[in-house]
Amino acid sequence: MITYNEIKKNRQIKTYIQKADESLIALGYTEHSFAHVGIVAEMAKYILTTMGYPERTIELAQIAGYMHDIGNVINRVDHAQSGAVMAFRILDKIGVDANEIATIISAIGNHDESTAVPVNEVAAALILADKTDVRYTRVRNRDFTSFDIHDRVNYAVKESKTIINEEKTKISLNLTVDTEFSSVMDYFEIFLERMILCKKAAEKLKLRFQLVINGQKLL
């Protein structure tokens, strides 16, 4: 069985992640490099581990998390679907079992909010892990005067924690937001669709999703 560590060492996958991020730099997007995919993989692991899923399911979620944005090397539009096709070719070529490939590519193909559906537990964990990675270090632009709303919202998030409660009934995204850079309403303007998707993904895992900004429960 292919392992997450083997996937991380795969030179072809590394190249696609790097080149995809370079494309997004040219388009003016926030960071989608190894930092982002690594955080997503580890958060997916945390979610499924905490909820008691089997080790192999957890590892498949890590693999999906690490590979989920490679489709950006083709185009930002429909990158989830193109990334799933790319992942299929790579994983099939290195001999991954068809059932496991199916789980991974269905998660990748369903992670973007425009078309996303938490079709299985791995997809649900990937959605939650991806959409909760909000942090000021993802902003590359250092010219505050040219910030768009996405830059302002991400830069305003000084601390971000995603936590499942002890009862394993609720997953909370807790943000500390500097309102000098962005208002809470700015956050909702661009992230409401993502938060609704997180709610659906959480329900797939029998959890309730909660958004907390500066100590105030908003969702």
Side-chain angles (χ1 to χ4, degrees), residues 27 30 40 44-45 55 69 77 80 90 92 100 112-113 117 122 124 146 156 165 170 177 186-188 213 218:
L27 292 170
T30 52
V40 171
K45 176 184 178 180
E55 288 187 13
D69 270 339
V77 177
I90 295 167
D92 184 56
E100 294 193 343
D112 186 58
E113 55 263 32
V117 179
V122 170
S146 65
N165 65 353
K170 178 176 62 179
V177 174
D186 281 343
Y187 184 90
F188 269 102
I213 299 180
L218 300 175

Side-chain angles (χ1 to χ4, degrees), residues 19-30 32 72 76 140:
K19 293 300 182 181
D21 190 47
E22 289 176 6
S23 294
L24 294 181
I25 291 173
L27 292 170
Y29 277 81
T30 52
H32 284 73
N72 283 305
R76 180 63 180 173
R140 294 185 167 108

Side-chain angles (χ1 to χ4, degrees), residues 47-215:
I47 292 168
L48 294 185
T49 299
T50 303
M51 296 306 293
Y53 281 88
E55 288 187 13
R56 190 55 185 168
T57 301
I58 295 165
E59 190 154 42
L60 295 181
Q62 288 181 278
I63 292 170
Y66 189 75
M67 299 181 71
H68 79 280
D69 270 339
I70 59 174
N72 283 305
V73 75
I74 296 175
N75 198 295
R76 180 63 180 173
V77 177
D78 296 329
H79 75 280
Q81 289 75 31
S82 55
V85 174
M86 290 174 65
F88 166 78
R89 185 180 183 278
I90 295 167
L91 297 173
D92 184 56
K93 187 177 180 180
I94 60 178
V96 178
D97 176 77
N99 282 324
E100 294 193 343
I101 292 176
T103 298
I104 293 166
I105 65 174
S106 64
I108 294 173
N110 279 283
H111 85 269
D112 186 58
E113 55 263 32
S114 60
T115 54
V117 179
V119 293
N120 54 44
E121 291 81 3
V122 170
L126 173 55
I127 288 168
L128 286 164
D130 183 38
K131 306 313 172 191
T132 56
D133 184 22
V134 186
R135 50 189 163 84
Y136 74 94
T137 51
R138 295 192 70 183
V139 179
R140 294 185 167 108
N141 182 9
R142 289 295 178 260
D143 180 6
F144 295 162
T145 62
S146 65
F147 271 16
D148 63 14
I149 189 170
H150 291 83
D151 290 331
R152 290 200 311 272
V153 167
N154 279 279
Y155 194 79
V157 177
K158 300 309 178 185
E159 188 175 18
S160 174
K161 294 182 179 178
T162 303
I163 302 170
I164 297 174
N165 65 353
E166 291 184 6
E167 296 78 15
K168 300 179 183 178
T169 58
K170 178 176 62 179
I171 182 168
S172 300
L173 172 59
N174 299 278
L175 302 177
T176 300
V177 174
D178 184 346
T179 54
E180 179 182 346
F181 290 99
S182 175
S183 69
V184 174
M185 287 307 296
D186 281 343
Y187 184 90
F188 269 102
E189 181 179 340
I190 66 170
F191 284 125
L192 181 58
E193 186 178 11
R194 298 184 189 183
M195 295 302 98
I196 292 173
L197 180 56
C198 283
K199 181 175 181 291
K200 294 178 180 178
E203 290 171 353
K204 181 69 175 181
L205 300 173
K206 297 180 172 56
L207 290 166
R208 180 169 64 86
F209 179 76
Q210 179 175 272
L211 173 65
V212 181
I213 299 180
N214 293 345

